Amino acid sequence: MTITSRPAHPADLHAARYPPGILPVSSRYPPGILPVSSRYPVSATRPTVSTGVHGDPRSSYAATGVRVDGIAPRNDRPRRVDSSTTPRLPSNSMLRSGPAPRTQQQAFSAAAFNTSRPRTYARSRSPQRHVLYARACGACFAFVLSVTGACANGPNLSTDYGQTARENYELAVAEFADRDWEEATTFADFVRVRFPFSRYAVESELLIARADFELGNYATSNDAFKQFAKLHPTHQHVRNGWVAYMASVSAYMGAPEDFFFLLPRHYQRDQSQLRVALQDLGYFFDHYPDSPMAAHAAKLRDDVQHKLLEHELYVAEFYLERDRPHAAIGRLEAAHKRYVGAGFDADILFMLGLTYLRMDEIELARNTFSELQTQHPAHHHGKQARIYLNHIYKVYGPADPHRTRPEYEPPTPKSPPRPKNAAARGSSPTPAATPTHR
């Protein structure tokens, strides 16, 4: 077996002729260019040797500089060596392709020579290293997915969800029965989105509205029940009035309530949700008067009116304490007409009579106390009305429909205060009004 040796290694050259890291410059090649082997061109195939030193073909290439696998080097084109940079000490990987240098100067020369030598055996190991790296990354990614999947809230699409709309709806109903409202909403919303044309999608919408009600999202559930009634008017629970009743209940539950002895009280806060509930109850009685929920709706309406009337009385007392009787009269008269039979009729009439008497509206006060005594004779305000009637008769005499009423001027709004620097600047002239052309 014959092995063709390579040209002389630069380490074997005389170290004193060339500085460290600089290759000899030949007249055939430009400075800094390494020659290509004339015996084996780039496209040629070098002789194949089956075994190398100690049975390792790579060791044969390391020792002789000849490829023994029958494949031409991939990097046989000349490489430019930058002689301006200071060479570094060669590492073990750089010295692997040549014999060990005997001196430090020869090590620099060997490192410079090895820059043009292809590292074919190092490339042969890179695919295996990349495969191991990819496998490790895949294992880490799978572990992260398993941890996040175990910690995530909600069902997993591949394992927890059913295959059909019926299966997912049954899962939603089961979660709702277990009082797991969030999971029930998740399954029902999956049915609504994934199977929009299924009959279970309609039932899922109603289930979502019920779950929102149980979760305490009363404003959301109120809108959901109203939207369901508009989109599905032929549904069984829409036709029997249950959906409209639940919309009213949702608005009622969203109203402020008393929390033990903490202030402010419920009638001192915003009553917009109670007004919405009363409006929804009016819609219920207009469209579903024969509904099986009518009795419950009537009780709910009385409770709503009672709370709204408490708010109106509180506002009227607020105006009276601040010497605004006309504003209090407006509140009381509107409440007496709007909330009839809410449980405060005697209180409203009594406050109206006292306010009229305070404003010197004698005949209006006489008529109000007479109505209170007639409609509520057993009420304590009815008994007090009899005393006030006797007082009016003794002071002002019998009833006189032509009695002169006191003059009343509506309050004029006060102009806003002038800015502080208005006096320094002086009063600015009022711009003349521009004529309008018709």
Side-chain angles (χ1 to χ4, degrees), residues 80-361:
R80 185 178 300 275
V81 179
D82 189 2
S83 60
S84 62
T85 59
T86 303
R88 298 176 300 172
L89 285 174
S91 61
N92 294 333
S93 61
M94 296 175 63
L95 297 176
R96 191 178 297 172
S97 60
R102 290 182 296 275
T103 62
Q104 184 177 5
Q105 187 175 7
Q106 293 175 354
F108 281 113
S109 300
F113 177 76
N114 288 337
T115 57
S116 63
R117 305 276 303 274
R119 301 179 184 180
T120 55
Y121 54 89
R123 291 178 182 174
S124 64
R125 288 199 301 267
S126 59
Q128 183 179 6
R129 184 168 61 253
H130 293 166
V131 169
L132 294 177
Y133 180 73
R135 289 179 179 177
C137 291
C140 294
F141 184 69
F143 175 75
V144 171
L145 286 180
S146 63
V147 172
T148 56
C151 299
N153 294 326
N156 187 3
L157 182 62
S158 60
T159 58
D160 296 338
Y161 284 110
Q163 298 296 327
T164 62
R166 179 178 179 179
E167 294 178 2
N168 288 282
Y169 177 72
E170 290 177 352
L171 290 172
V173 172
E175 296 292 345
F176 189 87
D178 293 340
R179 305 179 68 85
D180 195 347
W181 322 120
E182 294 181 354
E183 292 293 333
T185 302
T186 303
F187 282 109
D189 192 65
F190 178 79
V191 175
R192 183 183 62 84
V193 175
R194 188 61 65 89
F195 309 98
F197 302 105
S198 173
R199 65 185 182 92
Y200 294 102
V202 180
E203 302 296 335
S204 298
E205 293 181 13
L206 187 59
L207 189 65
I208 291 173
R210 296 175 60 190
D212 287 334
F213 180 84
E214 297 294 342
L215 287 171
N217 303 327
Y218 299 117
T220 306
S221 62
N222 177 266
D223 294 337
F225 282 121
K226 291 181 180 179
Q227 189 71 13
F228 184 83
K230 292 179 181 179
L231 295 178
H232 311 288
T234 60
H235 193 273
Q236 175 185 0
H237 295 300
V238 176
R239 288 188 285 107
N240 63 10
W242 182 83
V243 173
Y245 171 74
M246 286 303 299
S248 305
V249 174
S250 300
Y252 173 80
M253 295 297 295
E257 296 182 356
D258 290 335
F259 186 74
F260 294 102
F261 55 87
L262 298 181
L263 298 177
R265 302 292 302 275
H266 67 89
Y267 52 80
Q268 298 177 352
R269 289 183 279 176
D270 183 29
Q271 308 293 317
S272 58
Q273 288 296 319
L274 287 177
R275 296 188 180 93
V276 172
L278 189 62
Q279 182 180 0
D280 293 341
L281 286 170
Y283 177 85
F284 172 83
F285 285 108
D286 291 341
H287 293 78
Y288 312 102
D290 300 330
S291 173
M293 311 301 298
H296 301 282
K299 295 180 181 179
L300 182 63
R301 181 180 58 185
D302 295 341
D303 195 5
V304 171
Q305 289 182 349
H306 184 85
K307 290 186 175 182
L308 287 175
L309 194 53
E310 283 182 333
H311 177 72
E312 296 297 330
L313 292 175
Y314 163 74
V315 176
E317 291 177 357
F318 175 85
Y319 286 135
L320 290 175
E321 291 175 359
R322 284 156 181 79
D323 197 16
R324 301 284 182 175
H326 295 88
I329 287 294
R331 285 280 183 169
L332 293 172
E333 289 180 349
H336 183 61
K337 295 178 181 178
R338 186 180 304 171
Y339 307 115
V340 179
F344 290 98
D345 295 339
D347 299 270
I348 293 177
L349 291 174
F350 185 74
M351 289 183 66
L352 272 174
L354 290 179
T355 307
Y356 284 140
L357 190 60
R358 179 179 178 181
M359 297 169 58
D360 293 333
E361 294 284 354

Side-chain angles (χ1 to χ4, degrees), residues 341-403:
F344 290 98
D345 295 339
D347 299 270
I348 293 177
L349 291 174
F350 185 74
M351 289 183 66
L352 272 174
L354 290 179
T355 307
Y356 284 140
L357 190 60
R358 179 179 178 181
M359 297 169 58
D360 293 333
E361 294 284 354
I362 306 303
E363 300 303 324
L364 291 177
R366 193 195 305 268
N367 296 335
T368 304
F369 284 124
S370 299
E371 182 181 359
L372 175 59
Q373 184 184 8
T374 305
Q375 295 182 0
H376 308 280
H379 198 274
H380 64 279
H381 285 318
K383 299 177 181 179
Q384 290 176 347
R386 187 181 304 110
I387 298 175
Y388 276 100
L389 286 174
N390 296 331
H391 170 74
I392 292 173
Y393 182 80
K394 291 179 181 179
V395 175
Y396 300 100
D400 184 6
H402 302 287
R403 188 184 299 273

